[in-house]
Amino acid sequence: MTSKLYLIAFLGLAISFTSCEQQTAEPQTSNMKLWYKEPAKASVTDDPNGWSDDAEWLKGLPMGNGAFGAVVFGDVHKERIQLNEESMWSGSENDNNNPDAFPALGKIRELLYEGKYKEATELTNATQICKGVGSGYGSGANVPFGCFQTLGDLWIDFENKQPYENYQRELDLEDAVSRIQYTQDGVNYKREVFMSHPDQLMVIKLTADQPGKLSFSTSMSRPEHSQIHTENDQLIMEGTITDGKEGEGLNYIVRLSAVNKSGDLSFTDNELVVKNADEVTLLLTASTDYVLDYPKYKGRPYKDLTRTHLQKGKQTSYKNLLKRHITDYQQYYKRVDLSLTSNLNDTIPTDVRLQNFKTSTTDLHLVELLFQYGRYLLISSSRPGTLPANLQGIWANKVQTPWNGDYHTDVNVQMNYWPAETTNLGEMHLPLFDLTKTLQTPGSETAKVHYNSDGWVVHPITNVWGYTSPGEGASWGMHVTGGAWLTSHIMEHYYFTLDKAFLEDTYPILKASTQFYMDWLVEDKLTGDLVSGPSVSPENTFIAPDGSKCQISMGPSHDQQVIWQLFKNFIDASNALEINDDFVQQVTAAQERLAKPKIGVDGRLMEWNEAFEEVEPGHRHISHLFGLHPGYQIDVEETPELAAAAKKSLDFRIANGGGHTGWSAAWLINQYARLGEAENALHGLEMVLQKSTNPNLFTSHPPFQIDANFGTTAGIAEMLLQSQSGSIRLLPALPKSWANGSYKGLCARGGFVVDVTWKEGIPVDVKVFSKEGGECTLEFKEQKITFDTEKEKEYFPLKEQNPFGAISKE
Ligand code: FUC
């Protein structure tokens, strides 16, 4: 703690509280809309195997219920709705563990101690990487690793091909409904689309304001492995995708049915045809036979499930389907409000706003929209019981999705979940833990075969088939701390919720991960410190003393910090569960002995244990600052020297072109926010919006990658509220241009939900809702307030007197 900190203990004094349920304000008219004056054009131009994005698809509006996703184009003459189902993965379970790995491990460590980095990197490439083709270098659709793929397209071909006017389409984040309207031949047409979680249906309502004016035919298609047929009142597309071993993989089905008001409904062999209706509701369901259950993975009764969903949906009125959808969605979405600007009527289409932002960054409404969009996307792609959001969430329009649309565990899947706790969507975090759980068995086999270690390990990538081996190239594939990083999310969930039952359930995962690294760490021969290795600093390359370009070393800073965090988490978890056995003692001792972050001669935080020069100084990964964010090891108050060195490293990365991918810029927001560097954090946010955001506000690497959407939402929250240091920091990185504003419902560790209104940069109104009771410390600049709380009560600590205002004016 710095000595400058004042501590005002308000214990039991001027804190007023009332006990009540949390309240959410009813929005007036929704200002949280993405809206456009033009449709996305529905022609198929996507290359199913190409890595570049289809520009029209990135204008379409994504929807999802956690498992079933869609991108709605809104084309007038022929609507295209591109479909996704989260488990539409090719490939199958496979053994990629390399028996050559362990026998060579000792030799590689020896070479590294002798300074023979080139030889060590070569031997790592020859022995430590996975057996077989691994991920197929990110193009694994036809190998066992597999690939997350498009489910296909729904087409609605309208009979009326006349010109149209008064066109508008929108996605309303307040109710997760997409609406399209236009006038054609004097008739006003409307479409309403939503993805219902409670009814597991996609619902599309088509209306015209004059009778008999709706005539269209509906069909479905997929680039490969699909058959279309009808079954009673349904149009069906189904098929079997490849297991990557020239055999049959998962089976899938999409069912479409319709309810019409007047007019005629009929089927051809491959179309559902509507003639002269007043109103039509289309209902779709989809599923595969995948189950997240190593090593079985198959067995969901997908045909019966989808049949039941559709039958039930048809028996329910549109009004009720919509109502159930909105109630379900809003229970999550409405927990958080953010206002950085006065809530004026939104008269500027979203794509125009985005374009304008490239030259003028004053549009705070766009910042609010991007923030809430990240929350919308998380609710839409990750629900309790689903698979976690992958590199593209659940939205992919190709058969070969870039990087297989997999789970990258060297930052990307973790970034997806950075906003989960802080923006009050903790339930959406659960799928990540389910996946982590199923990695236990394959991850422990990999730990045995590769390192003869106990516990479990994951390297930089995983998939829905339990892939835990290293990647197929050492430069990126020898990331050994994927498992530890995943595990840190378990503890984040606990720190925010204090849910002991959850911790008891997941403690074995934490313990087994800790066991792995206890076996894996070795003593540095020179210093006696415990170091990780042979390993990489994610995807970065250094210049070895002999001038060769290498990646493999002992004790890269990233690994050391991730393992430090894991050990801290494990010790905290053990304390919370009152476990204090020999193993906990050993881990406590080992944490002390870990090689710690070091500052180089140039004042930057060192990326490797030795003072190497990096090949790419503006590298997109900023992994050696893990301890600053998302970790806790580096803190402006607790470790000011390391924080200053971290700032130098960040500034250096930026000066050399860093932040050039969407997710890299998004990480900069979070890291600068942790440093209290408000304007730099804002700069990261502006980089995301100016360089890496598409018309539909999907972010890009490029190509499209959803992590920056989530990372940006998390970063904005991190600028407004932090709690990693034991106290709740209010407005820790507030840029000058956000001088006045308010938020409601952001979460802090310790089970607190916080609302803040600020004026001229100073909190003037604060409400703290305590979910679990316990002491609460609020911090603003150098001022702290501490008070006790009781479970499920709310507190207004600035009501009687505002010490933050007084001190700030001094
Ligand atoms: C990591 C990153 C790449 C990309 C990929 C999906 O390997 O280094 O930039 O984001 O994940």
Side-chain angles (χ1 to χ4, degrees):
M1 293 290 137
T2 60
S3 54
K4 278 197 279 172
L5 283 173
Y6 298 77
L7 187 72
I8 301 180
F10 266 92
L11 294 163
L13 286 178
I15 310 289
S16 60
F17 66 79
T18 49
S19 170
C20 70
E21 287 291 292
Q22 275 183 268
Q23 289 163 7
T24 43
E26 280 293 313
Q28 316 302 312
T29 54
S30 168
N31 245 348
M32 284 294 118
K33 285 178 182 175
L34 281 68
W35 67 278
Y36 307 83
K37 291 283 195 190
E38 307 282 340
K41 291 191 194 71
S43 60
V44 183
T45 53
D46 328 352
D47 169 0
N49 296 309
W51 272 49
S52 59
D53 280 314
D54 174 53
E56 293 304 313
W57 186 72
L58 290 174
K59 295 177 186 165
L61 294 170
M63 322 211 61
N65 66 7
F68 189 15
V71 173
V72 182
F73 282 61
D75 205 340
V76 170
H77 297 144
K78 190 172 186 180
E79 174 67 280
R80 175 184 174 195
I81 300 185
Q82 188 267 318
L83 305 170
N84 285 109
E85 204 279 345
E86 60 161 6
S87 61
M88 193 70 179
W89 265 84
S90 64
S92 49
E93 200 270 321
N94 196 45
D95 176 11
N96 290 90
N97 293 329
N98 187 348
D100 295 339
F102 181 64
L105 187 61
K107 174 76 184 157
I108 295 168
R109 286 175 174 157
E110 284 303 320
L111 288 170
L112 290 170
Y113 283 126
E114 290 164 18
K116 295 180 177 161
Y117 299 99
K118 185 164 174 272
E119 291 82 349
T121 299
E122 280 167 6
L123 190 56
T124 306
N125 264 312
T127 59
Q128 303 297 301
I129 58 168
C130 64
K131 183 180 77 186
V133 292
S135 73
Y137 284 94
S139 292
N142 294 311
V143 304
F145 187 90
C147 175
F148 174 62
Q149 314 193 330
T150 181
L151 181 63
D153 290 284
L154 171 75
W155 302 93
I156 311 173
D157 195 358
F158 292 89
E159 205 173 87
N160 190 342
K161 303 287 185 200
Q162 294 306 307
Y164 56 88
E165 56 190 353
N166 303 331
Y167 181 90
Q168 187 171 316
R169 69 188 167 106
E170 67 180 36
L171 170 62
D172 191 341
L173 304 184
E174 295 279 349
D175 59 10
V177 178
S178 176
R179 297 182 179 85
I180 296 146
Q181 60 183 57
Y182 53 92
T183 309
Q184 225 179 356
D185 287 338
V187 181
N188 296 317
Y189 290 93
K190 281 191 181 158
R191 301 174 198 164
E192 247 181 8
V193 187
F194 61 92
M195 279 287 191
S196 167
H197 180 75
D199 288 292
Q200 290 294 313
L201 286 172
M202 174 163 175
V203 184
I204 306 163
K205 186 182 172 195
L206 306 156
T207 53
D209 69 351
Q210 291 175 29
K213 292 293 183 186
L214 275 169
S215 296
F216 58 85
S217 57
T218 309
S219 60
M220 291 187 275
S221 64
R222 188 172 192 275
E224 59 176 42
H225 304 307
S226 67
Q227 289 144 18
I228 311 276
H229 61 98
T230 55
E231 180 188 296
N232 303 321
D233 59 348
Q234 296 172 15
L235 187 67
I236 290 175
M237 177 166 74
E238 60 182 326
T240 304
I241 54 181
T242 176
D243 66 355
K245 299 168 183 166
E246 294 179 4
E248 294 194 340
L250 291 179
N251 298 299
Y252 72 91
I253 191 162
V254 192
R255 295 177 188 271
L256 166 72
S257 198
V259 180
N260 58 315
K261 234 188 224 171
S262 75
D264 296 318
L265 183 75
S266 62
F267 289 91
T268 68
D269 285 348
N270 51 15
E271 284 178 337
L272 183 161
V273 182
V274 171
K275 290 269 180 220
N276 307 324
D278 296 350
E279 182 184 304
V280 182
T281 303
L282 299 175
L283 301 172
L284 264 98
T285 69
S287 180
T288 74
D289 55 353
Y290 178 79
V291 284
L292 179 62
D293 185 10
Y294 177 89
K296 199 168 77 159
Y297 291 125
K298 262 185 163 185
R300 192 192 306 173
Y302 69 115
K303 288 198 175 178
D304 290 346
L305 274 177
T306 46
R307 189 180 293 112
T308 308
H309 291 146
L310 203 54
Q311 278 165 355
K312 280 196 181 155
K314 285 192 83 169
Q315 287 156 12
T316 314
S317 69
Y318 176 81
K319 205 173 138 207
N320 280 342
L321 288 172
L322 180 64
K323 200 169 142 199
R324 282 215 286 261
H325 157 69
I326 293 179
T327 307
D328 166 73
Y329 170 78
Q330 289 189 338
Q331 68 177 309
Y332 305 113
Y333 178 81
K334 287 180 81 175
R335 292 173 182 173
V336 173
D337 271 352
L338 171 65
S339 172
L340 300 174
T341 177
S342 48
N343 226 11
L344 299 173
N345 249 352
D346 177 2
T347 55
I348 311 169
T350 307
D351 47 347
V352 178
R353 279 184 182 281
L354 188 66
Q355 198 54 36
N356 292 345
F357 202 88
K358 294 193 196 303
T359 47
S360 164
T361 57
T362 54
D363 186 353
L364 296 182
H365 180 74
L366 189 59
V367 174
E368 294 171 354
L369 199 61
L370 195 66
F371 171 78
Q372 291 290 24
Y373 190 51
R375 297 186 65 245
Y376 164 84
L377 291 173
L378 194 61
I379 303 168
S380 306
S381 62
S382 188
R383 291 286 193 111
T386 70
L387 287 166
N390 63 40
L391 280 170
Q392 301 203 174
I394 45 167
W395 298 280
N397 60 337
K398 294 173 189 294
V399 169
Q400 178 55 67
T401 303
W403 289 287
N404 300 320
D406 70 12
Y407 302 105
H408 266 58
T409 51
D410 63 352
V411 69
N412 313 86
V413 73
Q414 290 92 345
M415 187 176 287
N416 286 0
Y417 287 92
W418 288 349
E421 302 296 336
T422 49
T423 76
N424 217 331
L425 297 173
E427 298 92 332
M428 312 312 161
H429 212 165
L430 301 178
L432 189 65
F433 314 138
D434 293 341
L435 184 78
T436 306
K437 228 177 230 178
T438 64
L439 297 178
Q440 300 303 293
T441 309
S444 61
E445 280 164 26
T446 301
K448 262 286 161 278
V449 174
H450 276 253
Y451 312 118
N452 195 27
S453 291
D454 282 344
W456 65 281
V457 64
V458 178
H459 293 81
I461 48 172
T462 189
N463 58 7
V464 301
W465 310 115
Y467 186 96
T468 51
S469 310
E472 55 271 24
S475 65
W476 57 278
M478 212 36 212
H479 174 251
V480 291
T481 43
W485 195 342
L486 277 179
T487 306
S488 73
H489 280 252
I490 288 176
M491 236 6 224
E492 285 293 298
H493 187 68
Y494 175 74
Y495 288 134
F496 277 88
T497 58
L498 305 183
D499 180 345
K500 284 250 169 75
F502 167 79
L503 192 60
E504 260 160 31
D505 182 45
T506 49
Y507 185 78
I509 299 177
L510 260 159
K511 183 167 179 182
S513 184
T514 306
Q515 274 165 335
F516 172 75
Y517 295 99
M518 288 293 281
D519 280 1
W520 165 252
L521 289 166
V522 289
E523 202 175 276
D524 184 308
K525 281 191 180 154
L526 287 176
T527 61
D529 290 342
L530 293 179
V531 288
S532 165
S535 182
V536 294
S537 183
E539 312 200 22
N540 210 351
T541 300
F542 61 84
I543 301 173
D546 68 356
S548 56
K549 294 179 180 164
C550 301
Q551 295 91 17
I552 300 299
S553 75
M554 295 302 289
S557 226
H558 170 76
D559 278 9
Q560 298 300 122
Q561 294 170 32
V562 176
I563 296 170
W564 182 92
Q565 187 72 34
L566 172 71
F567 287 3
K568 172 195 158 47
N569 291 345
F570 175 69
I571 296 163
D572 283 358
S574 304
N575 285 339
L577 298 176
E578 294 172 27
I579 300 169
N580 190 10
D581 53 21
D582 284 353
F583 186 62
V584 177
Q585 299 296 329
Q586 286 161 22
V587 175
T588 309
Q591 197 202 23
E592 282 290 305
R593 290 187 56 206
L594 282 171
K596 301 289 180 326
K598 287 196 277 192
I599 301 173
V601 283
D602 58 0
R604 286 189 289 145
L605 209 76
M606 284 168 60
E607 180 154 357
W608 292 275
N609 204 19
E610 285 138 282
F612 298 134
E613 194 184 325
E614 59 272 74
V615 169
E616 202 189 320
H619 198 266
R620 61 195 182 286
H621 285 266
I622 328 162
S623 313
H624 58 308
L625 305 188
F626 174 93
L628 173 66
H629 179 278
Y632 301 10
Q633 196 178 3
I634 302 172
D635 181 74
V636 276
E637 284 175 24
E638 309 284 337
T639 60
E641 291 84 12
L642 291 178
K647 176 174 155 32
K648 275 213 168 131
S649 298
L650 281 176
D651 293 349
F652 181 83
R653 276 284 210 265
I654 299 238
N656 286 284
H660 53 276
T661 68
W663 64 258
S664 179
W667 201 353
L668 292 174
I669 310 171
N670 289 274
Q671 293 189 325
Y672 274 122
R674 285 269 170 104
L675 289 170
E677 292 280 330
E679 302 308 323
N680 284 326
L682 182 64
H683 179 62
L685 172 56
E686 290 170 356
M687 277 166 81
V688 172
L689 272 165
Q690 289 182 330
K691 295 191 193 157
S692 304
T693 305
N694 296 287
N696 65 359
L697 302 190
F698 265 168
T699 54
S700 275
H701 187 285
F704 162 52
Q705 212 170 282
I706 206 161
D707 40 21
N709 281 104
F710 295 130
T712 300
T713 293
I716 293 169
E718 207 69 34
M719 291 164 78
L720 299 170
L721 186 78
Q722 288 175 25
S723 59
Q724 69 282 352
S725 65
S727 61
I728 299 177
R729 292 183 180 150
L730 303 176
L731 312 177
L734 190 74
K736 285 199 180 71
S737 53
W738 298 7
N740 301 302
S742 66
Y743 61 77
K744 285 184 181 163
L746 293 185
C747 293
R749 292 165 185 82
F752 299 109
V753 185
V754 185
D755 302 354
V756 177
T757 301
W758 66 94
K759 293 210 168 97
E760 293 174 27
I762 295 164
V764 292
D765 196 5
V766 170
K767 183 175 105 181
V768 176
F769 177 79
S770 175
K771 289 200 251 187
E772 295 297 328
E775 193 179 83
C776 177
T777 299
L778 299 182
E779 183 178 346
F780 176 67
K781 299 203 167 154
E782 289 160 354
Q783 175 88 8
K784 286 190 178 184
I785 299 173
T786 297
F787 52 96
D788 272 329
T789 69
E790 287 176 39
K791 196 177 161 89
E792 288 177 10
K793 288 193 173 166
E794 58 186 31
Y795 296 80
F796 299 88
L798 308 190
K799 204 168 181 182
E800 307 293 326
Q801 180 199 348
N802 184 357
F804 297 149
I807 294 292
S808 309
K809 279 179 200 138
E810 272 177 10

